[in-house]
């Protein structure tokens, strides 16, 4: 049976730039950085220090996962900034927002109150956007989230 997710993929445009962004600006740690076989695909994963069971693969579009045409289309979408890649959690959004902003992280939205917590939106060095959220301690399951 499925026990949970262990690796999630984020498409990036350049491994070295992405590695610097995710480690130096976001503060994640490198978990794996290797090449699969001679001349093969680079496998680069990062993760949060306090979450050892989840890794993020920083994947450049191309073979063996994608044919050249699909890889080029995906690179265009990433660079255009239309792909949302996920949610990073925090327990002190205002302090962490200030720290990330000071490190040069580009925020598309300052922290705002939402029904589920306080959320800011940032973009990585490739163009992917992420929610940066401090969740409320308790959510009302009957609450109208205003999403319809």
């Amino acid at each position: 049976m499925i026990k949970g997710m262990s690796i999630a993929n984020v498409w990036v445009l350049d491994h070295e730039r992405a590695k610097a962004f995710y480690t130096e600006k976001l503060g994640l740690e490198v978990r794996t950085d290797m090449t699969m076989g001679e001349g093969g695909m680079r496998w680069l994963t990062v993760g949060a220090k306090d979450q050892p069971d989840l890794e993020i693969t920083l994947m450049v579009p191309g073979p063996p996962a994608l044919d050249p045409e699909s890889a080029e289309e995906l690179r265009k979408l990433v660079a255009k900034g239309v792909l949302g890649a996920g949610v990073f959690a925090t327990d002190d959004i205002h302090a962490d927002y200030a720290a990330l902003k000071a490190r040069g992280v580009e925020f598309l939205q300052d922290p705002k109150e939402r029904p589920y917590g306080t959320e800011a939106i940032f973009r990585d060095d490739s163009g992917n956007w992420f929610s940066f959220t401090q969740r409320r301690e308790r959510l009302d399951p009957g609450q109208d989230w205003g999403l319809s």
Side-chain angles (χ1 to χ4, degrees), residues 112-119 133-136 139 145:
K112 293 197 183 311
E113 292 301 316
R114 304 283 186 222
Y116 47 85
T118 307
E119 176 187 52
T133 301
Q134 180 176 350
R135 292 186 63 139
R136 293 201 192 294
L139 296 177
W145 289 65

Side-chain angles (χ1 to χ4, degrees), residues 101-121:
K101 196 163 183 164
R103 290 183 199 153
V105 174
E106 174 192 2
F107 279 86
L108 305 174
Q109 174 193 290
D110 297 336
K112 293 197 183 311
E113 292 301 316
R114 304 283 186 222
Y116 47 85
T118 307
E119 176 187 52
I121 306 288

Side-chain angles (χ1 to χ4, degrees), residues 48-136:
K49 179 182 166 192
D50 294 333
Q51 192 178 23
D53 57 335
L54 179 64
E55 296 179 61
I56 300 168
T57 304
L58 303 176
M59 184 77 73
V60 173
L66 300 170
D67 61 84
E69 181 182 338
S70 297
E72 181 58 29
E73 290 299 316
L74 185 52
R75 277 191 289 276
K76 287 178 185 176
L77 290 171
V78 170
K80 192 174 181 180
V82 298
L83 299 180
V87 178
F88 282 101
T90 178
D91 57 4
D92 188 347
I93 193 159
H94 296 289
D96 292 340
Y97 166 81
L100 292 176
K101 196 163 183 164
R103 290 183 199 153
V105 174
E106 174 192 2
F107 279 86
L108 305 174
Q109 174 193 290
D110 297 336
K112 293 197 183 311
E113 292 301 316
R114 304 283 186 222
Y116 47 85
T118 307
E119 176 187 52
I121 306 288
F122 71 86
R123 190 180 305 279
D124 74 6
D125 68 304
S126 292
N128 298 297
W129 61 269
F130 291 87
S131 171
F132 185 52
T133 301
Q134 180 176 350
R135 292 186 63 139
R136 293 201 192 294

Side-chain angles (χ1 to χ4, degrees), residues 6-28:
S6 62
I7 299 175
N9 184 66
V10 173
W11 295 105
V12 299
L13 301 177
D14 179 271
H15 276 125
E16 288 307 314
R17 277 191 4 236
K19 181 178 178 182
F21 179 86
Y22 283 83
T23 59
E24 296 168 18
K25 291 189 177 185
L26 296 186
L28 303 180

